[in-house]
Amino acid sequence: MTAFKDEWDLGMALQVLHSETVDSKIWSEAVKWLFLFGPPQIREMISQASSMATGEFFPELSPIGYTDEGEPLYDIKKLAESLGMSEEEALAKMAELEAEHDIQSLYDPSRAHKVQ
């Protein structure tokens, strides 16, 4: 099986984003690839858009801290509740994403920079 990182390149992902007729699943895969592997400027834009969408559609969620890289961290219990799933389901999904894409999404609370 081809690794997700190798299934896309920058040109392909951007072409999908500009298409007016592309399937929503393919569009979301292109955005995911850009967020994980795209150039820093594009990753930053997607991160900002994600933060704005989270604030609008999940107003009950607010970051409890930030990573060293400035990524927001959320309480897993509140996140799961907002998504209508159990904490165990949310943790399992995050662990699956971590393993699938070799990224860290779960952090020890003591390593977070707290929101004052």
Side-chain angles (χ1 to χ4, degrees):
M1 184 168 138
T2 304
F4 180 70
K5 181 178 184 177
D6 299 328
E7 292 178 9
W8 293 86
D9 64 34
L10 180 59
M12 291 168 54
L14 292 175
Q15 186 175 8
V16 165
L17 261 57
H18 286 98
S19 174
E20 295 182 15
T21 59
V22 72
D23 172 275
S24 62
K25 181 170 174 27
I26 296 205
W27 188 90
S28 69
E29 290 289 313
V31 171
K32 182 168 135 181
W33 186 90
L34 287 165
F35 182 70
L36 294 172
F37 309 111
Q41 303 90 334
I42 292 177
R43 291 194 330 251
E44 177 62 26
M45 286 190 302
I46 293 171
S47 181
Q48 288 177 1
S50 175
S51 291
M52 288 173 47
T54 299
E56 183 170 337
F57 294 103
F58 299 99
E60 70 280 5
L61 286 178
S62 58
I64 58 170
Y66 293 87
T67 66
D68 290 339
E69 293 77 29
E71 293 296 318
L73 299 172
Y74 297 92
D75 179 280
I76 192 68
K77 291 175 188 165
K78 289 182 181 179
L79 181 64
E81 184 179 297
S82 294
L83 295 173
M85 61 176 60
S86 72
E87 184 177 347
E88 292 77 20
E89 289 172 309
L91 286 168
K93 182 64 176 169
M94 292 177 82
E96 177 185 320
L97 289 170
E98 283 187 343
E100 183 179 338
H101 299 296
D102 194 29
I103 58 168
Q104 184 176 4
S105 59
L106 297 169
Y107 292 83
D108 184 303
S110 67
R111 294 189 52 217
H113 299 278
K114 301 294 182 193
V115 176
Q116 301 284 335

